[in-house]
Amino acid sequence: MKRFTLFLVCSLAGLIAKSQSAKTVYPLKDTSHLKTLNVAAQAGVLKQQQSVKVTDVDPEADTELRIAKLENTSFHNGTIEVELAGQPMKNASEGARGFVGIAFRIDSSNKEFECFYLRPTNGRAADQVRRNHAAQYISYPHFPWYKLRKDFPEKYESYVDLEVGTWTKVKIEVQGNTAKLFVHNAGQPTLIVSDLKHGADAKGSIGLWIGPGTEAYFRNLVITPKN
Protein backbone atom coordinates (compact mmCIF):
# COMPACT_ATOMS: atom_id res chain seq x y z
CA MET A 1 0.00 0.00 0.00
CA LYS A 2 2.85 2.37 0.88
CA ARG A 3 4.54 1.64 -2.44
CA PHE A 4 1.30 2.31 -4.32
CA THR A 5 0.78 5.58 -2.44
CA LEU A 6 4.36 6.68 -3.19
CA PHE A 7 3.89 5.76 -6.85
CA LEU A 8 0.66 7.73 -7.01
CA VAL A 9 2.23 10.78 -5.39
CA CYS A 10 5.24 10.69 -7.72
CA SER A 11 3.00 10.24 -10.77
CA LEU A 12 0.78 13.14 -9.74
CA ALA A 13 3.81 15.35 -9.11
CA GLY A 14 5.16 14.48 -12.54
CA LEU A 15 1.87 15.35 -14.22
CA ILE A 16 1.71 18.69 -12.38
CA ALA A 17 5.30 19.53 -13.33
CA LYS A 18 4.60 18.60 -16.94
CA SER A 19 1.49 20.77 -17.08
CA GLN A 20 3.35 23.70 -15.54
CA SER A 21 6.07 23.54 -18.19
CA ALA A 22 3.81 22.79 -21.18
CA LYS A 23 4.27 24.92 -24.26
CA THR A 24 1.53 27.21 -25.51
CA VAL A 25 1.65 27.86 -29.25
CA TYR A 26 0.11 30.87 -30.97
CA PRO A 27 0.38 30.52 -34.79
CA LEU A 28 -0.59 34.21 -35.14
CA LYS A 29 -2.47 33.81 -38.40
CA ASP A 30 -5.22 36.16 -37.23
CA THR A 31 -5.87 38.61 -34.41
CA SER A 32 -7.49 36.13 -32.03
CA HIS A 33 -6.45 36.69 -28.39
CA LEU A 34 -4.93 40.10 -29.18
CA LYS A 35 -5.83 43.42 -27.57
CA THR A 36 -4.29 46.46 -29.25
CA LEU A 37 -2.76 49.41 -27.41
CA ASN A 38 -1.80 52.35 -29.67
CA VAL A 39 -1.39 50.01 -32.67
CA ALA A 40 -3.54 48.41 -35.37
CA ALA A 41 -3.45 44.64 -35.87
CA GLN A 42 -4.72 42.51 -38.74
CA ALA A 43 -4.02 39.27 -40.53
CA GLY A 44 -1.10 39.72 -42.88
CA VAL A 45 1.25 37.94 -45.26
CA LEU A 46 5.00 38.51 -45.54
CA LYS A 47 7.13 36.52 -47.95
CA GLN A 48 4.26 34.04 -48.45
CA GLN A 49 3.96 33.40 -44.70
CA GLN A 50 0.67 34.02 -42.91
CA SER A 51 1.11 36.22 -39.86
CA VAL A 52 -0.23 39.09 -37.80
CA LYS A 53 0.62 42.55 -39.10
CA VAL A 54 1.01 45.24 -36.42
CA THR A 55 1.17 48.90 -37.46
CA ASP A 56 1.76 52.12 -35.55
CA VAL A 57 -1.35 54.35 -35.50
CA ASP A 58 0.31 57.55 -34.28
CA PRO A 59 4.04 57.90 -35.05
CA GLU A 60 4.16 61.27 -33.30
CA ALA A 61 2.93 59.93 -29.95
CA ASP A 62 5.53 60.10 -27.18
CA THR A 63 5.04 56.60 -25.77
CA GLU A 64 6.67 53.18 -25.79
CA LEU A 65 3.30 51.55 -25.14
CA ARG A 66 2.68 50.24 -28.65
CA ILE A 67 1.59 46.65 -28.14
CA ALA A 68 -0.73 43.95 -29.42
CA LYS A 69 -1.21 42.18 -26.10
CA LEU A 70 -2.00 38.47 -25.76
CA GLU A 71 -5.05 38.26 -23.54
CA ASN A 72 -5.32 35.73 -20.71
CA THR A 73 -1.59 35.05 -20.54
CA SER A 74 0.46 35.11 -17.36
CA PHE A 75 4.22 34.80 -17.73
CA HIS A 76 6.84 34.87 -14.99
CA ASN A 77 9.86 32.71 -15.84
CA GLY A 78 10.48 30.64 -18.94
CA THR A 79 11.06 31.00 -22.67
CA ILE A 80 9.38 33.05 -25.37
CA GLU A 81 10.09 32.19 -29.01
CA VAL A 82 8.79 33.97 -32.10
CA GLU A 83 9.49 34.81 -35.72
CA LEU A 84 9.22 38.51 -36.49
CA ALA A 85 10.07 41.12 -39.08
CA GLY A 86 10.03 44.92 -38.96
CA GLN A 87 10.39 47.80 -41.37
CA PRO A 88 9.67 51.55 -41.39
CA MET A 89 6.20 52.52 -42.60
CA LYS A 90 5.85 54.46 -45.83
CA ASN A 91 6.48 58.14 -45.20
CA ALA A 92 7.96 57.37 -41.75
CA SER A 93 10.40 59.86 -40.29
CA GLU A 94 14.14 59.61 -40.95
CA GLY A 95 14.65 58.23 -37.44
CA ALA A 96 12.36 55.23 -37.98
CA ARG A 97 14.24 51.93 -37.69
CA GLY A 98 11.52 49.31 -38.07
CA PHE A 99 11.57 48.74 -34.30
CA VAL A 100 10.10 45.30 -33.51
CA GLY A 101 10.19 43.07 -30.45
CA ILE A 102 8.45 41.33 -27.57
CA ALA A 103 7.16 42.86 -24.35
CA PHE A 104 6.81 40.55 -21.34
CA ARG A 105 5.60 40.66 -17.76
CA ILE A 106 3.04 43.30 -18.77
CA ASP A 107 1.01 44.17 -15.69
CA SER A 108 -2.79 44.04 -15.77
CA SER A 109 -3.14 47.83 -16.00
CA ASN A 110 -0.60 48.09 -18.87
CA LYS A 111 1.50 50.49 -16.81
CA GLU A 112 4.66 48.36 -16.57
CA PHE A 113 6.54 45.88 -18.73
CA GLU A 114 9.97 44.64 -19.80
CA CYS A 115 10.93 44.48 -23.47
CA PHE A 116 13.58 43.32 -25.92
CA TYR A 117 13.44 44.74 -29.42
CA LEU A 118 15.42 45.00 -32.66
CA ARG A 119 16.23 47.91 -34.96
CA PRO A 120 16.39 46.16 -38.36
CA THR A 121 17.71 49.13 -40.34
CA ASN A 122 20.70 49.32 -37.99
CA GLY A 123 21.83 45.74 -38.57
CA ARG A 124 23.77 46.46 -41.78
CA ALA A 125 24.17 50.23 -41.54
CA ALA A 126 27.43 51.72 -42.81
CA ASP A 127 27.81 53.56 -39.49
CA GLN A 128 29.32 51.25 -36.86
CA VAL A 129 27.70 53.18 -34.00
CA ARG A 130 24.26 52.48 -35.48
CA ARG A 131 25.18 48.81 -35.84
CA ASN A 132 26.02 48.70 -32.16
CA HIS A 133 22.44 49.79 -31.43
CA ALA A 134 20.75 46.92 -33.31
CA ALA A 135 19.30 45.14 -30.25
CA GLN A 136 17.81 46.91 -27.24
CA TYR A 137 16.32 46.30 -23.77
CA ILE A 138 13.89 48.78 -22.21
CA SER A 139 11.71 48.78 -19.11
CA TYR A 140 8.47 50.74 -19.31
CA PRO A 141 7.81 53.39 -18.11
CA HIS A 142 10.88 54.59 -16.21
CA PHE A 143 13.72 53.23 -18.35
CA PRO A 144 13.23 54.18 -22.02
CA TRP A 145 16.08 53.60 -24.46
CA TYR A 146 17.43 57.14 -24.32
CA LYS A 147 17.73 57.11 -20.51
CA LEU A 148 19.47 53.73 -20.51
CA ARG A 149 21.85 54.81 -23.27
CA LYS A 150 22.70 58.03 -21.45
CA ASP A 151 23.09 56.58 -17.94
CA PHE A 152 24.50 53.14 -18.85
CA PRO A 153 26.24 53.38 -22.26
CA GLU A 154 26.45 50.04 -24.13
CA LYS A 155 25.01 48.01 -21.23
CA TYR A 156 21.47 47.50 -22.55
CA GLU A 157 22.02 47.29 -26.32
CA SER A 158 24.29 45.42 -28.70
CA TYR A 159 25.02 44.49 -32.29
CA VAL A 160 23.35 41.68 -34.23
CA ASP A 161 23.15 41.16 -37.98
CA LEU A 162 19.66 42.09 -39.21
CA GLU A 163 17.85 42.69 -42.49
CA VAL A 164 14.83 44.93 -42.99
CA GLY A 165 11.51 43.18 -43.58
CA THR A 166 13.04 39.73 -43.20
CA TRP A 167 11.78 36.93 -40.97
CA THR A 168 14.02 36.71 -37.92
CA LYS A 169 13.90 34.07 -35.19
CA VAL A 170 14.02 35.44 -31.67
CA LYS A 171 14.14 33.65 -28.32
CA ILE A 172 13.94 35.27 -24.89
CA GLU A 173 14.87 33.36 -21.73
CA VAL A 174 13.69 34.83 -18.43
CA GLN A 175 14.63 33.70 -14.93
CA GLY A 176 14.15 35.96 -11.92
CA ASN A 177 16.08 39.19 -12.46
CA THR A 178 17.78 37.96 -15.64
CA ALA A 179 16.66 37.91 -19.27
CA LYS A 180 18.63 36.80 -22.31
CA LEU A 181 17.92 37.63 -25.94
CA PHE A 182 18.90 35.11 -28.63
CA VAL A 183 18.64 35.91 -32.36
CA HIS A 184 18.92 33.65 -35.45
CA ASN A 185 19.02 30.40 -33.42
CA ALA A 186 22.39 31.45 -32.00
CA GLY A 187 23.82 29.34 -29.18
CA GLN A 188 24.98 32.44 -27.34
CA PRO A 189 22.79 35.42 -26.39
CA THR A 190 22.96 38.69 -28.29
CA LEU A 191 22.10 40.62 -25.14
CA ILE A 192 22.02 39.74 -21.41
CA VAL A 193 20.19 41.82 -18.82
CA SER A 194 20.87 40.73 -15.25
CA ASP A 195 18.89 43.46 -13.50
CA LEU A 196 15.37 43.56 -14.90
CA LYS A 197 13.99 46.84 -13.61
CA HIS A 198 10.65 45.53 -12.33
CA GLY A 199 12.32 42.85 -10.23
CA ALA A 200 12.42 39.08 -10.02
CA ASP A 201 8.83 38.67 -8.83
CA ALA A 202 7.14 40.60 -11.65
CA LYS A 203 4.79 38.67 -13.90
CA GLY A 204 2.15 39.43 -16.49
CA SER A 205 1.12 39.16 -20.11
CA ILE A 206 3.17 38.95 -23.30
CA GLY A 207 2.78 41.41 -26.16
CA LEU A 208 3.86 41.99 -29.75
CA TRP A 209 5.78 45.26 -29.45
CA ILE A 210 6.62 47.88 -32.08
CA GLY A 211 8.18 51.33 -32.04
CA PRO A 212 7.18 54.59 -33.74
CA GLY A 213 6.70 54.55 -37.51
CA THR A 214 6.87 50.75 -37.71
CA GLU A 215 5.12 48.10 -39.76
CA ALA A 216 5.85 44.65 -38.32
CA TYR A 217 4.89 41.01 -38.76
CA PHE A 218 4.77 38.19 -36.19
CA ARG A 219 4.23 34.44 -36.48
CA ASN A 220 4.77 31.19 -34.55
CA LEU A 221 4.84 32.49 -30.98
CA VAL A 222 5.69 29.77 -28.45
CA ILE A 223 5.57 30.33 -24.68
CA THR A 224 7.19 27.77 -22.37
CA PRO A 225 6.86 28.57 -18.66
CA LYS A 226 9.47 27.36 -16.22
CA ASN A 227 8.59 25.97 -12.82
Side-chain angles (χ1 to χ4, degrees), residues 1-224:
M1 184 65 179
K2 289 183 178 180
R3 289 183 178 179
F4 175 77
T5 302
L6 180 60
F7 171 80
L8 185 62
V9 170
C10 291
S11 298
L12 182 59
L15 287 172
I16 293 172
K18 183 177 180 180
S19 66
Q20 289 177 336
S21 61
K23 292 182 179 180
T24 303
V25 179
Y26 296 89
L28 298 181
K29 294 182 179 180
D30 55 43
T31 58
S32 300
H33 311 294
L34 292 176
K35 178 181 180 180
T36 57
L37 301 164
N38 300 316
V39 300
Q42 63 188 78
V45 176
L46 177 67
K47 298 185 184 298
Q48 302 181 334
Q49 299 295 330
Q50 289 184 299
S51 57
V52 166
K53 179 182 178 182
V54 181
T55 308
D56 185 13
V57 296
D58 186 1
E60 301 302 319
D62 184 16
T63 181
E64 291 183 309
L65 182 64
R66 289 180 171 89
I67 293 173
K69 181 179 178 180
L70 280 165
E71 296 182 304
N72 303 317
T73 54
S74 181
F75 179 83
H76 179 213
N77 294 326
T79 302
I80 306 163
E81 300 170 87
V82 70
E83 294 176 57
L84 49 75
Q87 58 194 24
M89 298 167 58
K90 292 181 180 179
N91 302 319
S93 69
E94 186 178 345
R97 300 287 184 255
F99 316 94
V100 58
I102 294 292
F104 55 98
R105 293 180 173 178
I106 309 169
D107 76 320
S108 59
S109 60
N110 304 315
K111 293 181 179 179
E112 296 181 347
F113 63 80
E114 314 283 12
C115 180
F116 279 120
Y117 70 86
L118 306 177
R119 298 184 178 96
T121 64
N122 284 9
R124 298 188 177 183
D127 180 356
Q128 183 60 48
V129 174
R130 275 189 60 182
R131 286 186 176 225
N132 295 343
H133 300 160
Q136 176 80 52
Y137 161 77
I138 58 171
S139 183
Y140 181 83
H142 299 303
F143 293 91
W145 68 269
Y146 49 86
K147 177 176 176 58
L148 292 173
R149 186 178 296 177
K150 177 183 177 182
D151 295 348
F152 310 96
E154 302 180 7
K155 183 176 181 180
Y156 296 104
E157 51 192 327
S158 67
Y159 166 75
V160 65
D161 183 30
L162 299 170
E163 292 184 79
V164 179
T166 297
W167 285 115
T168 303
K169 291 187 177 181
V170 167
K171 180 174 71 173
I172 298 170
E173 293 181 354
V174 183
Q175 180 63 46
N177 276 323
T178 300
K180 299 177 182 179
L181 172 68
F182 298 79
V183 184
H184 303 312
N185 288 323
Q188 290 296 313
T190 292
L191 185 58
I192 300 174
V193 175
S194 57
D195 57 344
L196 292 172
K197 302 308 181 185
H198 293 301
D201 296 327
K203 62 182 179 180
S205 301
I206 291 171
L208 315 178
W209 183 95
I210 65 170
T214 293
E215 173 182 294
Y217 297 82
F218 299 82
R219 66 188 298 266
N220 293 339
L221 177 70
V222 180
I223 304 170
T224 308

